[in-house]
Amino acid sequence: LITIFLLLITATANAPLSTFWMIYQLAKNPETYMKAREEQDRIRDQMRAEGLDPNNPKDWKRRHFDEMKYLDACLLEVIRMY
């Protein structure tokens, strides 16, 4: 039980740090930022074509996140670096 508790604390503590470092790295690398932004814009346009509102968190489905391969790779690289 203690192990599960520690894993939950670690997982929730690392998510904000990983997000911070990814934003930091994207800000330092404008070309990488633009590729990630283009990918996000493509997914948002696809959602609009499906009649979904990309500004509504309830309209985001798992498949939308699964299609963000470049952004996923950016996050994995940040986790590897830090």
Side-chain angles (χ1 to χ4, degrees):
L1 187 61
I2 292 175
T3 304
I4 293 172
F5 179 71
L6 290 175
L7 285 172
L8 288 173
I9 289 174
T10 304
T12 56
N14 286 336
L17 283 174
S18 297
T19 303
F20 167 80
W21 285 117
M22 187 168 82
I23 291 170
Y24 174 75
Q25 287 298 325
L26 288 173
K28 282 181 50 179
N29 300 286
E31 291 176 15
T32 303
Y33 169 77
M34 288 307 297
K35 282 181 79 172
R37 182 60 194 239
E38 288 168 6
E39 181 179 65
Q40 182 187 21
D41 289 343
R42 181 180 53 79
I43 299 298
R44 292 171 66 86
D45 290 343
Q46 180 184 26
M47 290 177 70
R48 285 186 193 98
E50 296 170 1
L52 300 172
D53 179 10
N55 295 319
N56 182 355
K58 292 181 180 180
D59 283 349
W60 282 85
K61 308 294 181 218
R62 173 67 187 244
R63 62 187 166 87
H64 297 124
F65 293 103
D66 289 343
E67 291 179 30
M68 293 189 189
K69 304 290 185 196
Y70 191 78
L71 203 55
D72 188 45
C74 291
L75 182 58
L76 290 175
E77 180 63 11
V78 164
I79 291 170
R80 184 194 68 79
M81 291 172 64
Y82 299 100

